[in-house]
Amino acid sequence: AQSVTQLGSHVSVSEGALVLLRCNYSSSVPPYLFWYVQYPNQGLQLLLKYTTGATLVKGINGFEAEFKKSETSFHLTKPSAHMSDAAEYFCAVSINAGGTSYGKLTFGQGTILTVHP
Amino acid sequence: EAQVTQNPRYLITVTGKKLTVTCSQNMNHEYMSWYRQDPGLGLRQIYYSMNVEVTDKGDVPEGYKVSRKEKRNFPLILESPSPNQTSLYFCASSLGGGPGSGYTFGSGTRLTVV
């Protein structure tokens, strides 16, 4: 079975500072990895995803993430935080398997990002 | 506009009173799924459906039922709601449900059971 751990339930940064949200996964087969963002009172929006190929993935709003197999990590970064980045972020994993794992996204616990002026 | 529509957005109900949360998608997606979101636990899958009349349990199916009589609709049924089902619920759909599929999420239904 696959699992995801997000390190830090709350992260606070200043506007203009680097954003780093940590995600580690566990999977017995090659994973497919996702980052979603949830703004207050809204659904989940896909930021970026890693399926195969290039390990550095660029997403929307200036975010990117790097798949590191040796570290089982998929950390999310953004060079310069904006006030509008304040939201909750979820890392998720999916695998290419049948049975009850088919199509399932397994989510981390979420990280709330606060951006200070 | 391609979207997943859930109704209602907010619902307060009493213990034991049957309720249905509707979910509809207009993208002709085969795969649909229900998740619940709880603080500190992220989102957990309740049920999923790979196509019409094909449904299966996710990680936390107890107390819930689903049906998939039409491709576009995937209602979530709580036959006897209890306070521990107070949560934020999301419906999601994808074209094929494979691991690299993009998922479209609804806006959520916040349910309170008193």
Side-chain angles (χ1 to χ4, degrees), chain B residues 54-74:
Chain B
V54 181
T55 64
D56 208 345
K57 298 176 181 178
D59 294 324
V60 288
E62 294 78 17
Y64 304 95
K65 285 177 56 176
V66 293
S67 69
R68 188 92 181 271
K69 293 184 171 56
E70 305 167 280
K71 198 170 188 178
R72 64 182 293 134
N73 295 324
F74 190 46

Side-chain angles (χ1 to χ4, degrees), chain A residues 32 34 36 38 41-44 46 49 51 88 90 94-96 99-110, chain B residues 9-10 31 35 37 40-43 45 48 50 56-57 59 88 90 96-103 105-107:
Chain A
Y32 296 76
F34 305 80
Y36 285 87
Q38 183 181 32
N41 298 316
Q42 294 187 28
L44 278 77
L46 180 66
K49 65 179 180 180
T51 54
E88 189 164 16
F90 292 95
S94 185
I95 62 172
N96 189 8
T100 57
S101 292
Y102 183 83
K104 184 169 80 172
L105 281 171
T106 298
F107 286 86
Q109 304 92 322
Chain B
R9 288 292 306 276
Y10 301 91
Y31 185 94
Y35 290 84
Q37 180 183 359
L41 296 177
L43 284 81
Q45 190 184 55
Y48 67 95
M50 287 194 280
D56 208 345
K57 298 176 181 178
D59 294 324
L88 179 58
F90 287 101
S101 298
Y103 293 81
F105 283 83
S107 298

Side-chain angles (χ1 to χ4, degrees), chain B:
Chain B
E1 180 187 354
Q3 60 185 357
V4 175
T5 303
Q6 292 178 231
N7 280 297
R9 288 292 306 276
Y10 301 91
L11 179 60
I12 301 175
T13 191
V14 297
T15 299
K17 185 177 181 182
K18 181 179 179 180
L19 66 91
T20 299
V21 183
T22 63
C23 174
S24 180
Q25 50 93 4
N26 62 0
M27 297 165 283
N28 202 36
H29 284 174
E30 293 175 345
Y31 185 94
M32 299 185 74
S33 183
W34 277 102
Y35 290 84
R36 61 176 288 173
Q37 180 183 359
D38 300 292
L41 296 177
L43 284 81
R44 295 174 292 168
Q45 190 184 55
I46 303 170
Y47 268 93
Y48 67 95
S49 169
M50 287 194 280
N51 215 323
V52 175
E53 302 292 1
V54 181
T55 64
D56 208 345
K57 298 176 181 178
D59 294 324
V60 288
E62 294 78 17
Y64 304 95
K65 285 177 56 176
V66 293
S67 69
R68 188 92 181 271
K69 293 184 171 56
E70 305 167 280
K71 198 170 188 178
R72 64 182 293 134
N73 295 324
F74 190 46
L76 179 70
I77 303 156
L78 285 73
E79 297 223 322
S80 184
S82 63
N84 65 11
Q85 293 178 296
T86 292
S87 187
L88 179 58
Y89 292 86
F90 287 101
C91 182
S93 73
S94 71
L95 183 59
S101 298
Y103 293 81
T104 302
F105 283 83
S107 298
T109 296
R110 187 169 293 280
L111 172 66
T112 302
V113 184
V114 298

Side-chain angles (χ1 to χ4, degrees), chain A residues 61-114:
Chain A
N61 301 338
F63 285 93
E64 63 181 37
E66 186 171 11
F67 170 59
K68 292 187 176 181
K69 184 179 178 180
S70 61
E71 299 176 10
T72 62
S73 69
F74 191 57
H75 301 331
L76 181 71
T77 61
K78 181 174 180 177
S80 176
H82 294 169
M83 297 294 290
S84 60
D85 294 326
E88 189 164 16
Y89 293 79
F90 292 95
C91 183
V93 64
S94 185
I95 62 172
N96 189 8
T100 57
S101 292
Y102 183 83
K104 184 169 80 172
L105 281 171
T106 298
F107 286 86
Q109 304 92 322
T111 298
I112 295 173
L113 175 66
T114 302

Side-chain angles (χ1 to χ4, degrees), chain A residues 4 8 12 30 35 39 87 91 104:
Chain A
V4 174
S12 181
W35 275 100
Y39 298 103
C91 183
K104 184 169 80 172

